[in-house]
Amino acid sequence: MSNEWWRSAVIYQVYPRSFADASGDGIGDLAGVTERLPQLKDLGVDAVWLSPFYTSPQRDAGYDVADYTDVDPLFGTLDDFDAMQAEAKRLGLKVIVDLVPNHSSSEHEWFKAALAAEPGSPERARYIFRDGRGENGEVPPNNWLSVFGGPAWTQITDADGKPGQWYLHLFDGSQPDFDWNNPEVHELFRGVLRFWLDRGVDGFRVDVAHGMVKQEGLPDVHPLVQLGDDELTADLEEDQAEETAAEKETLVAEFAAESPYWGQEGVHEIFRDWHNVLAEYEGDRVLVAEAWVSPLEKLAKWVRPDEMSQAFNFGYLETPWNAAEVRAVIRDSLEAFSAVGAPSTWVLSNHDVIRHTTRFSADPLPPQGAGIGPKTPTKLDEQLGLKRGRAASMLMLALPGSAYVYQGEELGLPEVVDLPDEAREDPTFHRTGGELYGRDGCRVPVPWTSTGDSYGFSHSGRSWLPQPPEWATYARDAQEGTEGSTLELYKQALRLRAEHGLGTGSLTWLDGYPDAVVAFTNGDLTVIANIGTEPVGLPGGEIVLDSGKGTHGSLPADTTVWIRTA
Ligand code: GLC
C-alpha cells in the first residue's frame, strides 16, 4: 500500500464566502482565510480544501465560474491566493482547490461567444445547444430537469429578437454544461489544472464528477422520475398512490443506475487524462471526486489506480443514526474502496447538505438538497442533535482512511433554519419559487468571537447571511480551552488520531455488544458508539476520548468513547 499523505488525511473544507472576511464587505475572502489558517493548524487538520473563489457572477455562490484562472475581486487577487498558500505551506497544511468542469458560468467568455455565434458554429459546439422540439422549436429538446428545479434547458433569443436554440444546464440557467465530446473542452481543463499546479496546489476537488458526459442522443428519462413526491401524490387517486409510489421507487433506482447524464462510462477517460497531468508534477497531488453515484462498488470505479485518488463517501453521509446501517456502510465502504486500492473517505457535512448536528435529530429528514426552513414540517431537538453529532464525529474520526470536516462542524454549529426569505441566495430557493429552501442554512458565516457584530466573522461586522443570536455560545473563543466543548473534543480527537495512527490503521469489529452499538478496534484503541437508547457496559481501560460529559463504567445513549485497552 502506498503512503501518500491524502490516504489518511483530515481535510478541512473552507467555504470562502462564509469563513472569514478581511475586507469588511460581509463576504469572506482569501485574506480572511490567511489570517485564520493558524487556527486550523491548531485544530490539527492536515489540509484545507477551498470551495471556488474564481471570477464569477456568484449565481451559484461561485460554482458558476467565468474565469478559471483568476480570483474574483470579491475574494481578492491572485497575490492574495499566493499569500494564503505560502502561509499554508509555512504551517505545513496542504491546499486543495475546487475544479468545476461540468459547466461554466454564462458569463464565461466561451459562452458569450457561443451566444453571439450561429447554430452549428465551433463556438456553440463547446456547450450543448440543440434545436427545440414542437412545431416552432418551443418545446425543450428533452424532458431533463435541473437539479435546482425547473427544466434543464433554456431557450436563447437570437440577435433578431426571435427565439433561438436551447442550451443544457443540469444546474442553474446561469451554468451551461460543457460538451465533453469537444477536444477544446479537454484542452481548456488541462490548462486549468496546470495553472493551479504551477502555483503549487496539492490537488483538486472535482465538482459534479459524475455529470460531465451525457448519453449519446440525450434521451428522455421516464416522466415519473421527473415528478416530485407532492406532485406525484396529488395526481393520483388514493388507492393508486401506494402502487405508484412503489413503482416510482423502482424507477428512481433504475434511473440512478442508468441515468443518461449521471455516471456515464465516458467520464473515466477524462480522469485518466487528468491523472497523467498531475503525475507530471512532483509530490503527491490529489484528485477528489464529488460524485453522487451509488452503489459504493460503482463509486469505487472513480478511484481506480489510474483515475482519481479518492471520492467523497456520500453513502456514509446519508446513513441515518442507526447502528446496523452505520456498521453496514463502514464495512461496505472499506471493502469497495480497498478492492481498487483506494482509501475510504468519511464525511458528515459540507456546503450542500443540512449540517449533521441538525440532521441527526430531524424527524422526518427532508430530502437531500431540499434544505430546511421555518415552514418545513420537521421536528428538531438542538441538544439531542448536538449530542449525536458529536458522537458521530468521534466515530468518523476513528475510522481508517481520510476524513472531511466542514467549517463550523468543529464548533458543533447547527443548521440555521429560520433565515428570512429575502436573505436566501441559493438558486434552489429561487428556481422553485421558495418551495425548497435549499442550502443557505449550512452556509451562514462562522462565529469566531462571542461578542461583536458578525461574531468576529468580518472586520466590519457585516455578514452576507444573518447569524442567529445563539451563536455567541458556539463561537470559537467561547469554546477555546473550555473543557467538554465541541472544539476541544475535535482538537483532542485529531491529536489522538495522529498519535495512534488511526487514519492509516485498520478496523477489527468487536463482537458481544448489543445491536445498537458500533464497536471496533483500530490499532491500540477501542472505539464504542452507543446509537441506542439504553446505557451499555464498557470494557476496562483508560477512556482517552469521550463525546459525552464524563462517562464512567457504562456508556450513555448517543455517546462515543475511545478507550486504550492495551
Ligand atoms: C456541486 C457543488 C454545489 C453546486 C453544484 C453545481 O454539487 O458542491 O454547491 O451547486 O455542484 O456546481
Side-chain angles (χ1 to χ4, degrees), residues 109-330:
E109 170 192 311
W110 274 13
F111 193 72
K112 292 201 260 181
L115 289 185
E118 295 296 308
S121 60
E123 288 83 358
R124 291 234 171 143
R126 293 158 172 163
Y127 294 92
I128 304 179
F129 279 88
R130 292 290 183 275
D131 294 333
R133 295 186 288 189
E135 221 164 287
N136 302 306
E138 73 285 5
V139 181
N142 69 21
N143 71 350
W144 297 359
L145 292 185
S146 149
V147 174
F148 294 155
W153 295 90
T154 293
Q155 187 170 27
I156 65 168
T157 305
D158 284 337
D160 59 7
K162 296 213 178 96
Q165 287 192 299
W166 297 72
Y167 66 90
L168 178 71
H169 51 87
L170 291 180
F171 294 88
D172 189 53
S174 64
Q175 294 167 297
D177 282 43
F178 284 114
D179 187 346
W180 275 91
N181 290 317
N182 187 330
E184 276 192 83
V185 175
H186 291 250
E187 207 39 59
L188 173 73
F189 279 93
R190 277 185 214 114
V192 173
L193 289 173
R194 291 201 175 99
F195 178 87
W196 294 104
L197 288 164
D198 289 340
R199 281 197 120 78
V201 303
D202 297 288
F204 301 87
R205 173 267 189 193
V206 181
D207 192 62
V208 197
H210 55 316
M212 293 130 81
V213 173
K214 279 77 182 177
Q215 192 178 320
E216 191 67 45
L218 313 179
D220 275 351
V221 300
H222 193 292
L224 263 188
V225 178
Q226 299 289 47
L227 294 175
D229 283 335
D230 294 346
E231 282 167 86
L232 180 72
T233 342
D235 281 354
L236 297 167
E237 300 292 334
E238 279 280 296
D239 57 342
Q240 266 189 313
E242 211 166 293
E243 201 182 309
T244 313
E247 190 191 336
K248 188 184 173 191
E249 211 168 287
T250 316
L251 287 166
V252 169
E254 271 171 30
F255 173 71
E258 290 165 28
S259 154
Y261 47 89
W262 298 139
Q264 297 290 301
E265 260 314 295
V267 295
H268 297 291
E269 187 195 319
I270 303 171
F271 308 147
R272 290 193 190 103
D273 183 38
W274 293 354
H275 181 103
N276 292 336
V277 173
L278 265 68
E280 291 165 16
Y281 289 79
E282 259 175 45
D284 302 335
R285 317 274 173 149
V286 65
L287 278 173
V288 185
E290 186 224 19
W292 293 82
V293 291
S294 59
L296 277 156
E297 295 73 44
K298 181 165 182 187
L299 180 60
K301 291 186 169 179
W302 268 244
V303 292
R304 287 176 289 197
D306 58 347
E307 299 194 32
M308 300 231 200
S309 324
Q310 58 193 39
F312 292 112
N313 189 342
F314 293 126
Y316 183 73
L317 183 150
E318 290 184 317
T319 301
W321 191 235
N322 170 293
E325 294 187 53
V326 170
R327 274 195 302 270
V329 72
I330 295 174

Side-chain angles (χ1 to χ4, degrees), residues 12-21 27-30 33 40 48-53 58-64 75 98 205 350-352 355 405-408 425-427 439-446 448 457 464-465:
Y12 184 96
Q13 180 187 0
V14 169
Y15 190 65
R17 57 169 37 235
S18 303
F19 186 67
D21 171 27
I27 298 183
D29 45 41
L30 291 174
V33 178
L40 297 187
V48 289
W49 145 42
L50 290 102
S51 282
F53 46 78
Q58 302 291 315
R59 298 286 290 279
D60 183 22
Y63 281 96
D64 48 325
F75 299 112
D98 222 297
R205 173 267 189 193
N350 66 31
H351 66 293
D352 290 328
R355 282 187 178 273
V405 171
Y406 173 51
Q407 67 181 36
E425 290 199 7
D426 187 346
R439 304 158 295 172
D440 291 309
C442 64
R443 299 175 175 181
V444 173
V446 170
W448 294 91
F457 161 66
W464 71 279
L465 280 173

Side-chain angles (χ1 to χ4, degrees), residues 315-487:
Y316 183 73
L317 183 150
E318 290 184 317
T319 301
W321 191 235
N322 170 293
E325 294 187 53
V326 170
R327 274 195 302 270
V329 72
I330 295 174
R331 190 195 51 227
D332 295 351
S333 306
L334 291 170
E335 211 176 281
F337 289 116
S338 71
V340 291
S344 185
T345 66
W346 313 103
V347 59
L348 290 167
S349 282
N350 66 31
H351 66 293
D352 290 328
V353 303
I354 297 172
R355 282 187 178 273
H356 67 274
T357 42
T358 299
R359 265 195 342 259
F360 285 139
S361 88
D363 182 22
L365 181 64
Q368 164 53 27
I372 190 164
K375 294 194 203 120
T376 313
T378 287
K379 281 202 301 281
L380 295 174
D381 177 337
E382 189 168 329
Q383 286 319 311
L384 177 67
L386 180 59
K387 194 170 183 216
R388 290 182 173 169
R390 288 164 52 110
S393 299
M394 296 314 102
L395 175 57
M396 170 177 88
L397 292 172
L399 294 170
S402 174
Y404 285 81
V405 171
Y406 173 51
Q407 67 181 36
E409 74 170 73
E410 77 280 19
L411 305 176
L413 291 184
E415 183 85 359
V416 181
V417 173
D418 57 358
L419 287 172
D421 286 0
E422 44 305 346
R424 293 188 185 268
E425 290 199 7
D426 187 346
T428 310
F429 182 74
H430 298 286
R431 287 182 67 86
T432 61
E435 201 179 304
L436 303 182
Y437 285 102
R439 304 158 295 172
D440 291 309
C442 64
R443 299 175 175 181
V444 173
V446 170
W448 294 91
T449 56
S450 47
T451 55
D453 296 338
S454 88
Y455 302 115
F457 161 66
S458 168
H459 285 196
S460 70
R462 288 166 65 189
S463 168
W464 71 279
L465 280 173
Q467 301 153 298
E470 310 80 66
W471 277 25
T473 56
Y474 285 101
R476 186 178 171 110
D477 70 348
Q479 299 196 36
E480 189 99 61
T482 305
E483 211 189 310
S485 71
T486 305
L487 176 64

